[in-house]
Amino acid sequence: MIIRMNAFAQVRAGRAGRRIPQLLIGLMGYGAAVMVLVQSGLGTASWSVLTDGAAKTLGISFGWATNLISLIVLLAWIPLRELPGLGTLLNVAIVGFAADATAAVLPTPRGTLAESGYLVTGLVALAFFDALYLGAQFGSGPRDGIMTGLVRLTRLPVAVVRTGIDVAVAGIGWALGGSFGAGTVLVALCMGPLVGYFLPLLAVRLPAATADERCGR
């Protein structure tokens, strides 16, 4: 269960020895997984379609486009009353650069089998590392804040909310010229259920934390 806390409550919640490494590993892994999906050439995550479209439209790198979109999406937190934290700030700072660093060292897959391996690996890794950093209980990143905010307000399951967001974002990214493939559909349909599966397993239990409110799953 993800607890809704302000930044001060997140720091006071304890178990920092586990939560901080989990947060950092989750964010770095998330950025790397994003680029694995991009390199598969079969389609990538919905937000990456939007990022790719924005990068092509603006003539900037994928990493810088990632960070720019993160800042813009934060504005949508205002009506959702989401609470930022350390995870929010580090998400903006780390994910885009981890994606660029991965692109610099990741070999290009050759052949359908290798491309399919990148797609499946990237999909599972993206969901796992997404749940890993969210489970650290230091607040969500800009994109995931939309998901957690809507889950809290609508009381719908993570899978339903995440899938709806992914479909809408992929459509906008495709309209901007972002890379779109069969894998994009697979990711859009599977990310929600996978995150919903991993999150209860990876969320750090904080029984002593002072929560403003618990987010429904």
Side-chain angles (χ1 to χ4, degrees), residues 99 155 181 212:
R155 302 297 178 183
D212 296 316

Side-chain angles (χ1 to χ4, degrees), residues 12-105:
R12 295 195 302 265
R15 303 195 68 181
R18 171 183 169 180
R19 292 169 61 217
I20 291 177
Q22 178 170 326
L23 173 65
L24 295 175
I25 293 171
L27 291 174
M28 289 186 289
Y30 186 93
V34 165
M35 190 50 61
V36 172
L37 283 172
V38 171
Q39 294 282 44
S40 76
L42 298 176
T44 185
S46 298
W47 284 103
S48 296
V49 177
L50 177 59
T51 302
D52 186 47
K56 291 176 179 177
T57 300
L58 299 175
I60 58 179
S61 76
F62 187 92
W64 279 111
T66 297
N67 294 334
L68 176 62
I69 289 173
S70 295
L71 294 174
I72 294 173
V73 169
L74 282 173
L75 295 176
W77 282 33
I78 297 174
L80 294 176
R81 299 179 61 192
E82 278 297 287
L83 300 175
L86 180 62
T88 309
L89 297 176
L90 291 182
N91 187 291
V92 176
I94 292 175
V95 171
F97 294 108
D100 278 350
T102 302
V105 299

Side-chain angles (χ1 to χ4, degrees), residues 7 12 15 38 46 55 60 85 103 134 141-142 154 156 164 177 184 205 215:
R12 295 195 302 265
R15 303 195 68 181
V38 171
S46 298
I60 58 179
L134 284 173
T154 65
L156 292 172
T184 304
R205 273 30 178 194
C215 297

